[in-house]
């Protein structure tokens, strides 16, 4: 998968940025803090994901004074060239076209073009509460198997409806209709548990191998579902857990069993990474999870996704910075990273973009 060209208009501080062509290999966006490097990577990522990795609202994406932002990109894939054009209003839903035709569902874009993004906020995947790791699993599902995003929607719907029923119930015993929503939760949740098992099976080994290359020891990555059983027995185990927690749920008026309480356990040197990893180890673990996901995507679609890595070196010592730079340069496909210091531009970089005030200037080859 190859990004042929990209154009941003009124996207954050980029009034008009067009890069054509986008070269192969390791590309480094370099410039002082606050000049638009992260905004550039975010803008490149947007046509792939139709979402920002940094904010949920669209208003921050639109340059001050503009009515909307625009992100356009053409991607070369094994299935042909794909043109994605997105109009991003400050309020309301984005308007998306693929090969000049409007599309309504995000998965219609995501099934054709793939990208993986790492940024400093990913440290929360290691240091934060379990919701951050569950969100990572959901993001992995969307990029690995976009057509399975409906599993997330189905489970979220069942969970919200069941929680609403529990919250509004004022009588004795249990509310009418709870058993029906139990079955909805079991069906949707069991399917999601199965997919999460597969996600971790796909990315755990490459993530650990990346971490091993940096630290000299492994990153343990284990899926710990709230309903833990053999795959063929998940539904029956789910029902048993619901029955066992029924009285607690009625008292607390919320659902206490299901994938919304799953955990992705991370460990280094046999100790939980959240509590015991150093800052550098936690940073490396987060980066390696994203690299492991990129490797899993490449195996799934038989071509590497575009990899966008924002500020990868800031928490690493000089030796590990060099190792990360070398490994990123050796990955297949296109890898775009950002650095603030000229000294951090890897020696193996294939191209460099200077970024100042939202203006991107590719350097001429020496």
């Amino acid at each position: 998968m190859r990004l042929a060209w990209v154009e941003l208009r009124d996207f954050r501080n980029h009034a008009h940025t067009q890069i054509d062509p986008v070269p192969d290999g390791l590309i480094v966006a370099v410039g002082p803090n606050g000049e638009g490097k992260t905004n550039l990577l975010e803008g490149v990522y947007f046509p792939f994901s139709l979402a920002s990795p940094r904010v949920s609202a669209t208003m921050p994406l639109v340059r001050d004074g503009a009515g909307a932002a625009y992100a356009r990109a053409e991607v070369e894939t094994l299935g042909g060239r794909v043109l994605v054009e997105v109009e991003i209003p400050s309020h309301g839903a984005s308007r998306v076209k693929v090969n000049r035709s409007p599309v309504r569902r995000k998965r219609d874009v995501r099934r054709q073009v793939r990208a993986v993004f790492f940024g400093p906020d990913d440290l929360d995947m290691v240091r934060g509460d379990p919701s951050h790791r569950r969100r990572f699993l959901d993001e992995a599902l969307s990029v690995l198997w976009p057509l399975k995003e409906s599993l997330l929607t189905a489970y979220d719907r069942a969970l919200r409806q069941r929680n609403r029923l529990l919250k509004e119930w004022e009588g004795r015993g249990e509310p009418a209709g709870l058993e029906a929503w139990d079955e909805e939760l079991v069906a949707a949740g069991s399917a999601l548990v199965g997919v999460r098992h597969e996600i971790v099976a796909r990315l755990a080994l490459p993530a650990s191998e990346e971490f091993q290359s940096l630290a000299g020891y492994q990153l343990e990555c284990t899926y710990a579902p709230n309903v833990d059983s053999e795959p063929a027995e998940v539904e029956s185990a789910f029902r048993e857990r619901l029955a066992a927690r029924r009285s607690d749920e009625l008292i607390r008026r919320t659902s206490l069993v299901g994938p919304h309480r799953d955990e992705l356990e991370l460990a280094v040197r046999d100790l939980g990474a959240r509590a015991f990893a150093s800052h550098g180890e936690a940073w490396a673990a987060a980066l390696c999870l994203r690299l492991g996901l990129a490797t899993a995507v490449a195996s799934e679609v038989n071509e590497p996704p575009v990899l966008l890595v924002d500020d990868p070196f800031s928490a690493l010592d000089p030796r590990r910075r060099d190792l990360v730079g070398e490994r990123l340069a050796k990955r297949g496909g296109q890898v775009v990273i950002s650095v603030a210091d000229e000294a951090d531009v890897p020696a193996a970089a294939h191209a460099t973009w200077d970024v100042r005030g939202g203006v991107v200037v590719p350097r001429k080859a020496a």
Side-chain angles (χ1 to χ4, degrees), residues 18-62:
Q18 183 169 5
I19 305 173
D20 184 7
V22 177
D24 296 325
L26 177 61
I27 306 162
V28 184
V30 60
N33 293 332
E35 296 295 325
K37 303 184 302 299
T38 298
N39 296 344
L40 172 65
L41 268 63
E42 180 184 28
V44 171
Y45 182 67
F46 205 95
F48 290 86
S49 66
L50 305 184
S52 165
R54 302 163 67 193
V55 294
S56 57
T58 57
M59 186 173 67
L61 306 181
V62 181

Side-chain angles (χ1 to χ4, degrees), residues 31-293:
N33 293 332
E35 296 295 325
K37 303 184 302 299
T38 298
N39 296 344
L40 172 65
L41 268 63
E42 180 184 28
V44 171
Y45 182 67
F46 205 95
F48 290 86
S49 66
L50 305 184
S52 165
R54 302 163 67 193
V55 294
S56 57
T58 57
M59 186 173 67
L61 306 181
V62 181
R63 191 170 66 93
D64 188 34
Y70 299 86
R72 303 172 67 237
E74 189 166 23
V75 185
E76 298 172 355
T77 75
L78 292 178
R81 296 177 75 94
V82 181
L83 173 63
V84 183
E85 300 171 289
V86 191
E87 179 183 354
I88 311 162
S90 56
H91 300 283
S94 297
R95 286 177 281 276
V96 185
K97 290 184 179 181
V98 174
N99 295 330
R100 309 292 186 184
S101 298
V103 298
R104 297 181 62 184
R105 299 175 299 186
K106 290 183 178 181
R107 65 175 178 263
D108 292 334
V109 176
R110 291 171 175 168
R111 67 184 176 85
Q112 298 186 67
V113 295
R114 315 290 175 97
V116 173
F117 184 101
F118 168 84
D121 289 343
D122 282 339
L123 187 63
D124 288 338
M125 292 194 307
V126 181
R127 290 294 198 203
D129 62 54
S131 66
H132 294 284
R133 290 177 285 283
R134 289 192 292 269
R135 189 177 302 119
F136 169 68
L137 293 177
D138 293 345
E139 292 171 359
L141 185 155
S142 295
V143 70
L144 279 167
W145 307 297
L147 298 182
K148 294 184 179 182
E149 286 182 349
S150 58
L151 296 178
L152 298 172
T153 305
Y155 183 74
D156 182 63
R157 172 178 174 270
L159 180 62
R160 284 188 290 106
Q161 292 291 343
R162 190 173 184 274
N163 281 345
R164 180 179 179 182
L165 195 62
L166 289 167
K167 185 176 181 180
E168 295 179 352
W169 178 242
E170 298 289 351
R172 294 186 177 184
E174 61 185 54
L178 186 59
E179 289 188 1
W181 283 113
D182 283 354
E183 288 305 307
E184 292 282 344
L185 198 72
V186 167
S190 298
L192 185 55
V193 168
V195 171
R196 284 181 171 176
H197 271 295
E198 182 64 20
I199 290 168
V200 177
R202 296 287 189 98
L203 67 83
L205 180 58
S208 184
E209 289 175 345
E210 292 286 350
F211 193 86
Q212 175 89 37
S213 72
L214 300 181
Y217 44 91
Q218 293 185 339
L219 169 67
E220 298 173 29
C221 182
T222 306
Y223 176 43
N226 179 255
V227 179
D228 193 8
S229 70
E230 294 299 319
E233 300 173 358
V234 172
E235 290 195 6
S236 59
F238 208 139
R239 293 188 184 95
E240 290 174 5
R241 288 289 307 280
L242 284 173
R245 300 300 303 273
R246 178 73 87 222
S247 60
D248 291 336
E249 289 186 330
L250 291 172
I251 292 171
R252 296 175 62 177
R253 297 188 177 187
T254 192
S255 300
L256 300 176
V257 177
H260 62 289
R261 299 175 71 87
D262 283 353
E263 173 64 291
L264 179 64
E265 296 178 346
L266 304 173
V268 292
R269 297 181 178 181
D270 297 322
L271 296 173
R274 181 183 182 188
F276 295 101
S278 69
H279 182 67
E281 286 175 324
W283 184 275
L287 174 60
C288 291
L289 284 173
R290 292 295 185 186
L291 297 180
L293 175 58

